[in-house]
């Protein structure tokens, strides 16, 4: 018994070791290149500091772009709610097997395709700009939020539901007075969490042309305006921290 | 069994596993009957069949003088409403306050427009719920969150919810198994009062023979899906108890 355990452990360690060697080779990890490159990094930093705080050329457009980023994240989250809810409900355990499998598969597919890929697709469809970002977030978020909601619904304790059924309450009454009170706080918490993630995703989407402050960062790098980039990154930092604090604060009050 | 519960020939299988093999018992109005039996002997299944949480394969159930067989739809629901159930896990909505939980027992008679959220519950339902809460001695906790009460208090709130349902028959599935001895005694005394003073027919599943001796008018022993004995609570003997729990030991060896 214990020899077999050791044998298993040895095999696992060996496999992990081989995997890491292989990964090291494939990703061309080269500490030497990093060391050699320090000069470039230093120059980059020197140019980035101090950040360019010119109001008309940098700060105001930056703030406007931050608002766009926030707006992309907001709409990408809100507009995905109806479809996410539908797939979540259809994907809870106890549904008809076919319905369950189909909705789980749709959600898995939407989750598996990264939002950046959706963004690239929509940029070719509707052109560069925030709208492509919104569409991309909706697609990916339906998959993720649907799955999270589905699991939250599966976890609802059926006890209070039973208690109300026994009292003769009709189905809508049972849902309104036993299921929803148990599940809504969890659903809202997950929604806020996704809003938080989506605002951060919308930054990345900006890098591939979907507008917002990510787009400005990309532009400033391509123009070698590293001090402008530094300003934008500071703004992003503030934005991300603010959204995170907001959503965490609300979630805390929900429980 | 004018206002009580009567069960005859109740049978239930899950797949090819027979759980109830013809269970007969009755509980009169004003009577507290305790069901004893080893785990898996079918106690919960029997109670769930009575209230419709499980569907019996065979058997005749009458609740408060009405035979359920042959009834359908709204009529069946109305007849069933005379039986309420409380559970070991209590099953309150913990985030809602106590009075809203009690009100939830009385939703059946309401139109949807008055029942989808507590703010819409009508005044007479609230008054009735308050009276039920007072009956279990917790009127002063009406506005507290249900989850903030102790286990024993929560179980009494669940009983108040059952009263608000207007039940004549009260089934309790291990109502005190999760409670400390003091709270357990308090809940059992409440159940007995509800039988004696309010004329309810009360059937409670217990695992403590002592509580059964102290509180039960009658004790039923359930073994392998059949009623093995029926005796007055004060007459319950250790031989009776062994007959219920010993066979398992014999099988286990
Ligand atoms: N929904 C169900 N599906 C399958 N088997 C069940 C179900 N409910 C109960 N059983 C089985 O029926 C038997 C009796 O269960 P139960 O009535 O809960 O016993 P008790 O309450 O006396 O402990 C057990 O063997 C249990 O596994
Ligand atoms: Mg049980």
């Amino acid at each position: 018994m214990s020899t077999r355990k050791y044998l298993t452990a040895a095999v696992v360690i060996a496999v992990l070791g081989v995997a890491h060697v292989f990964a090291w080779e494939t990703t061309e990890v080269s500490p030497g290149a990093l060391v050699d490159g320090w000069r470039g990094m230093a120059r980059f930093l020197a140019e980035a500091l101090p950040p360019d705080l010119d109001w008309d050329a940098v700060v105001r457009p930056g703030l406007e772009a931050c608002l766009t980023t926030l707006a992309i994240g907001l709409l990408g989250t809100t507009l995905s709610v109806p479809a996410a809810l539908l797939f979540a409900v259809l994907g809870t355990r106890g549904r008809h097997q076919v319905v369950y499998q189909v909705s789980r598969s749709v959600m898995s597919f939407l989750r598996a395709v990264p939002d950046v890929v959706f963004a690239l697709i929509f940029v070719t469809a509707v052109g560069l700009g925030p709208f492509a970002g919104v569409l991309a977030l909706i697609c990916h978020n339906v998959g993720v939020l649907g799955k999270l909601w589905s699991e939250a619904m599966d976890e609802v304790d059926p006890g209070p539901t039973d208690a109300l059924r026994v009292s003769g309450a009709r189905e809508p009454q049972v849902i309104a007075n036993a299921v929803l009170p148990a599940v809504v706080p969890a659903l809202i918490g997950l929604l806020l969490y996704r809003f938080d993630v989506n605002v951060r995703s919308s930054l990345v989407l900006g890098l591939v042309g979907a507008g917002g402050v990510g787009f400005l960062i990309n532009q400033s790098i391509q123009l070698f305006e590293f001090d402008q980039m530094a300003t934008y990154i500071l703004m992003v930092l503030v934005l991300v921290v603010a959204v995170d604090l907001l959503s965490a604060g609300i979630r805390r009050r929900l429980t | 069994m004018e206002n009580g519960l009567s069960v005859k020939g109740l049978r239930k299988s899950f797949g090819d596993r027979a759980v109830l093999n013809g269970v007969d018992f009755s509980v009169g109005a004003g009577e507290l009957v305790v069901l004893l039996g080893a785990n898996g002997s079918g106690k919960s299944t029997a109670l769930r069949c009575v209230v419709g949480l499980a569907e019996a394969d065979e058997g005749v159930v009458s609740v408060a003088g009405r035979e359920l067989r042959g009834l359908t739809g709204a009529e069946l629901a109305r007849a069933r409403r005379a039986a309420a159930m409380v559970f070991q896990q209590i099953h309150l909505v913990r985030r809602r306050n106590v009075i809203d939980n009690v009100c939830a027992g009385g939703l059946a008679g309401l139109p949807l427009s008055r029942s989808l959220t507590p703010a819409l519950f009508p005044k007479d339902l609230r008054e009735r719920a308050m009276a039920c809460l007072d009956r279990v001695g917790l009127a002063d906790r009406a506005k507290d969150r249900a989850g903030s009460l102790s286990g024993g208090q929560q179980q009494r709130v669940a009983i108040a919810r059952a009263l608000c349902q207007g039940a004549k028959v009260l089934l309790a599935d291990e109502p005190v198994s999760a409670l400390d001895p003091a709270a357990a005694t308090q809940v059992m005394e409440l159940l007995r009062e509800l039988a004696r003073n309010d004329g309810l027919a009360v059937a409670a599943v217990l695992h403590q023979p002592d509580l059964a001796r102290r509180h039960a008018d009658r004790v039923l022993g359930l073994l392998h899906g059949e009623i093995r004995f029926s005796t007055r609570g004060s007459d319950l003997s250790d031989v009776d108890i062994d007959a219920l729990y010993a066979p398992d030991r014999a099988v286990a060896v």
Side-chain angles (χ1 to χ4, degrees), chain B residues 14 17 19 37-46 173-174 205 207 222:
Chain B
F14 291 107
R17 173 163 164 54
V19 172
N39 284 331
S41 57
K43 308 177 296 293
S44 298
T45 304
D173 193 0
E174 303 196 29
V205 172
H207 274 306
L222 194 65

Side-chain angles (χ1 to χ4, degrees), chain A residues 59-77 128-135 137 195 198-206 209-216 235-236 239 243:
Chain A
V59 177
R60 203 167 53 87
L63 289 177
E64 281 167 9
C66 278
L67 273 186
T68 308
T69 295
L70 203 59
I72 297 172
L74 182 68
L75 285 186
T77 310
L128 289 176
F131 185 44
V134 172
L135 292 174
L137 281 187
F195 170 62
N198 283 338
V199 169
R200 275 178 281 138
S201 297
S202 78
L203 285 166
V204 180
L205 300 188
V213 70
F215 189 62
L216 292 186
M235 288 176 170
V236 165
L239 178 69
V243 168

